[in-house]
Amino acid sequence: MKTINKISIFALAAALTLSTSGCSGFLDEDLKKDLAPDNTYTSTYGFEVGATGLYAWARAEFSTWDNDGAFTHSQACPYEALQVATDIVVAAHKDGSLLPFENLSYTTSQAYVESYWKWAYGLISSANELLEYSEHDDVKWDADTDKIFYQATARFFRAYAYRYLVYLYGDVTYVDKVETSFKIDFTRTPKTEVLQHMIDDLTFAAEYLPANPDNVEVGKLTKWAALHLLSEVYLMADKNQEAANTAKEVINSNYFQLMSSRFGKAIEEPGDVFSDMFKENNQNRTSGNKETIWVMQLEYNTTGGGTLYEDWTKRAWVPKYWNIDGFTLADSLGGRGLAQIVPIKWWVNGDNFYDATDIRNSEYNIKRNWYCNDPSSDKYGQKAEITDETWEIGNLCPTITKFFYGKTDENASYEGNNKDRMKFRLAETYLLLAEASINLGDTQTAADAINVVRERSGASKINAGQATIDFLLDERIRELVGEELRRFTLVRTGKLLERTKKYNTVSGPKMDEHHALWPIPQSIIDSNTGAEYPQNPGYSK
């Protein structure tokens, strides 16, 4: 049972963004009366309701369709749009909402160009509203520390939302208060200023969020989640020493450890410790997983969990094996995948990309052997061969098993992937330390950090001379593929163009430097009639 209550998430999130929506008819009268900010933000309980709305809005970052959630992109592939046109995957499903992002033909009015903007500013407006009401003198707080705790939560989520905006659009408007009047003269704030605001927010959050992860409810933030994200933001701001120091603070906190022995619900089943982390119900600290720093609660059909359409990552990675004669849908094969993306061969089948002893390359973590599973077929038990054709169209190819989860016992064609999602885990903190150290020229510290991660997987150690940005980016694939937003990582390291051209034969030939940013949504430019709002270079209407 989750402990973060859902509390009518759609209504809540809508209510908390009312004052900045500019749409007086957005909510019905009962909702305005019952959940309006003036009525909600009067007590500690009201701020807990508001904070629940922030969590709900944040976990809708990849939401595909409206299913009583806080936000929806209303398209099938928002997550995949941040993975294609990089060095790891190409589109197999040929979904019409995804292809423009793979072939780099997206426009200033394209679906995700607009919806990620709206998602991020919706979260920001809700955070700003909570912050503003927290300063009212008539709030009845249960404890003296409540006010600053909820402010820390709101400031974390505000920085979290700006992370998306800065990566995707560059210079964006920084808003830190509720706009009570209609405003049409926004300007773009330089990226460096926005990053500094994010640093300030996360520094504040780290100071006032709880320190002991064993004393918070499942899925709630701690100071270590704020510091992990702060380390990444320092890297974005080219403050590498600060990034290294912050990553070390998380690593040395003694609250977290890389999992090195089997644990959780599948401990008696075939597998290894890496695959254990991705088994259903093994993501949270309560399962014995001491590696996770922040887990987004997405488990379906559970109070405080996700909705049916909030995370389709399984459908993205799992092949359409069920489309091949001799197969039937099975939870053990990942459920009903759609192969919206398939891995590029250079890494998943590349010679020497994984050490022979690296468990991240085991059959438990990358499925390469597919056996017909339909008992009614005369092919039952036979191995199905992966060919160039089956790979290209997504019917059969090697796939990571991180997102295997089908719920076929309830519904064989179950749409979602809703198991809890590890957003931050300690292995990535080590790799953030390595990145900062490489940037500082301290390749020995970088190698040491990378080796901690490799040692857990059974891979051989590297020396300081091997600790380069390209090796680190390869290591992030081995460790974090599917978890990280690859576009963000490559943009931050300045490697998007180089590595996409090198490894991606679909997007690479079409990519140039301006594709490091998406365009500003045209609707924003058109409605901002009181001031110029320049478009990003390389884009027009």
Side-chain angles (χ1 to χ4, degrees):
M1 176 66 70
K2 302 298 184 205
T3 51
I4 301 179
N5 293 325
K6 194 171 181 182
I7 313 179
S8 186
I9 291 306
F10 176 75
L12 173 63
L16 295 185
T17 56
L18 176 60
S19 68
T20 54
S21 70
C23 299
S24 59
F26 187 64
L27 306 174
D28 60 45
E29 292 303 319
D30 288 339
L31 182 56
K32 291 177 184 177
K33 178 178 68 177
D34 294 339
L35 279 176
D38 284 339
N39 294 333
T40 301
Y41 288 134
T42 59
S43 65
T44 292
Y45 177 77
F47 279 86
E48 180 61 22
V49 170
T52 299
L54 296 179
Y55 281 97
W57 197 281
R59 71 168 173 255
E61 61 190 341
F62 305 141
S63 181
T64 54
W65 308 109
D66 185 9
N67 191 54
D68 195 33
F71 177 86
T72 175
H73 290 275
S74 297
Q75 298 287 335
C77 304
Y79 159 87
E80 294 84 353
L82 305 178
Q83 304 286 352
V84 295
T86 68
D87 57 352
I88 59 168
V89 296
V90 294
H93 187 281
K94 307 304 180 188
D95 191 290
S97 62
L98 181 61
L99 284 182
F101 294 90
E102 176 172 67
N103 62 32
L104 303 172
S105 65
Y106 49 83
T107 69
T108 60
S109 301
Q110 205 76 40
Y112 307 128
V113 169
E114 290 196 336
S115 61
Y116 269 112
W117 182 282
K118 292 176 181 178
W119 170 81
Y121 276 112
L123 183 54
I124 290 163
S125 66
S126 294
N128 285 341
E129 195 150 59
L130 187 153
L131 289 165
E132 180 172 301
Y133 276 85
S134 71
E135 295 294 346
H136 288 194
D137 293 335
D138 57 351
V139 177
K140 294 182 174 62
W141 299 108
D142 291 347
D144 292 341
T145 56
D146 287 352
K147 173 182 174 179
I148 207 159
F149 164 74
Y150 288 109
Q151 288 179 338
T153 300
R155 292 184 71 169
F156 172 91
F157 281 116
R158 184 165 66 184
Y160 187 75
Y162 271 112
R163 171 181 181 253
Y164 280 77
L165 290 169
V166 170
Y167 272 130
L168 292 175
Y169 309 100
D171 299 343
V172 293
T173 302
Y174 187 76
V175 183
D176 62 356
K177 64 180 184 298
V178 175
E179 297 290 347
T180 56
S181 59
F182 193 65
K183 186 175 173 65
I184 56 172
D185 59 349
F186 289 102
T187 58
R188 296 182 67 175
T189 307
K191 174 181 174 180
T192 53
E193 291 184 26
V194 178
L195 288 171
Q196 186 55 55
H197 288 304
M198 295 164 66
I199 290 168
D200 293 342
D201 275 350
L202 292 169
T203 301
F204 182 94
E207 183 172 357
Y208 294 109
L209 286 171
N212 190 339
D214 293 315
N215 291 341
V216 301
E217 295 176 350
V218 171
K220 288 293 186 73
L221 294 166
T222 65
K223 72 175 296 177
W224 313 109
L227 288 176
H228 176 99
L229 182 56
L230 179 59
S231 180
E232 181 187 327
V233 174
Y234 275 135
L235 287 170
M236 296 168 70
D238 200 26
K239 296 178 180 289
N240 293 296
Q241 190 60 64
E242 292 90 338
N245 292 344
T246 304
K248 288 178 183 177
E249 192 172 349
V250 178
I251 291 166
N252 295 330
S253 69
N254 293 322
Y255 285 115
F256 310 99
Q257 64 188 55
L258 296 193
M259 298 304 294
S260 57
S261 58
R262 300 291 306 277
F263 72 98
K265 63 169 288 186
I267 193 170
E268 300 299 330
E269 300 173 9
D272 53 46
V273 65
F274 194 76
S275 66
D276 280 346
M277 285 195 292
F278 303 95
K279 298 293 186 184
E280 185 187 1
N281 299 322
N282 276 7
Q283 287 68 58
N284 293 300
R285 195 172 177 88
T286 49
S287 71
N289 188 340
K290 297 299 195 288
E291 185 164 333
T292 53
I293 298 169
W294 181 39
V295 183
M296 193 169 276
Q297 303 300 293
L298 282 164
E299 185 180 346
Y300 178 56
N301 245 1
T302 305
T303 302
T307 67
L308 185 62
Y309 298 115
E310 276 188 327
D311 187 352
W312 271 17
T313 312
K314 174 202 69 175
R315 291 159 72 87
W317 282 98
V318 176
K320 296 179 289 184
Y321 64 89
W322 45 267
N323 211 25
I324 297 176
D325 183 34
F327 282 92
T328 188
L329 288 170
D331 188 33
S332 60
L333 299 182
R336 185 173 177 264
L338 288 182
Q340 290 161 329
I341 51 180
V342 295
I344 301 175
K345 293 180 181 178
W346 78 270
W347 68 269
V348 78
N349 270 3
D351 293 337
N352 302 318
F353 186 77
Y354 291 92
D355 282 2
T357 55
D358 194 331
I359 63 173
R360 297 170 298 187
N361 192 40
S362 75
E363 180 70 11
Y364 306 118
N365 295 303
I366 301 179
K367 186 170 181 58
R368 295 185 173 88
N369 297 303
W370 297 82
Y371 294 90
C372 295
N373 70 328
D374 186 352
S376 66
S377 170
D378 58 7
K379 295 183 179 180
Y380 182 69
Q382 295 180 18
K383 184 175 182 180
E385 294 301 323
I386 296 173
T387 67
D388 288 343
E389 181 182 1
T390 67
W391 195 320
E392 182 178 353
I393 64 176
N395 278 355
L396 213 60
C397 63
T399 186
I400 58 174
T401 63
K402 291 178 178 180
F403 305 109
F404 273 30
Y405 178 59
K407 275 297 184 192
T408 53
D409 55 331
E410 296 178 6
N411 179 358
S413 61
Y414 174 75
E415 290 94 337
N417 174 64
N418 302 115
K419 66 180 178 184
D420 296 335
R421 189 181 187 107
M422 294 179 287
K423 295 298 294 187
F424 305 152
R425 59 184 177 92
L426 189 64
E428 185 180 20
T429 317
Y430 276 104
L431 297 180
L432 293 174
L433 171 59
E435 184 178 331
S437 300
I438 291 169
N439 293 340
L440 290 166
D442 184 2
T443 55
Q444 185 58 60
T445 297
D448 291 343
I450 293 170
N451 284 336
V452 173
V453 176
R454 289 176 65 80
E455 183 178 9
R456 185 267 298 279
S457 73
S460 61
K461 291 184 177 182
I462 66 168
N463 59 44
Q466 295 171 286
T468 65
I469 284 293
D470 279 309
F471 186 93
L472 174 67
L473 291 172
D474 289 353
E475 191 66 21
R476 286 185 69 97
I477 294 174
R478 287 183 279 264
E479 183 70 26
L480 299 169
V481 66
E483 300 173 73
E484 69 170 345
L485 299 180
R486 189 62 173 180
R487 162 177 263 273
F488 290 4
T489 299
L490 294 180
V491 167
R492 183 180 69 247
T493 55
K495 288 283 190 172
L496 177 68
L497 179 61
E498 176 188 330
R499 287 180 67 102
T500 304
K501 282 190 170 296
K502 181 176 181 180
Y503 295 117
N504 189 323
T505 59
V506 177
S507 305
K510 303 173 184 179
M511 181 174 282
D512 61 39
E513 291 182 357
H514 88 273
H515 291 114
L517 294 176
W518 282 0
I520 301 296
Q522 191 62 42
S523 58
I524 299 301
I525 295 174
D526 291 344
S527 63
N528 198 63
T529 57
E532 182 182 6
Y533 209 90
Q535 183 55 270
N536 281 331
Y539 297 103
S540 58
K541 283 189 179 181

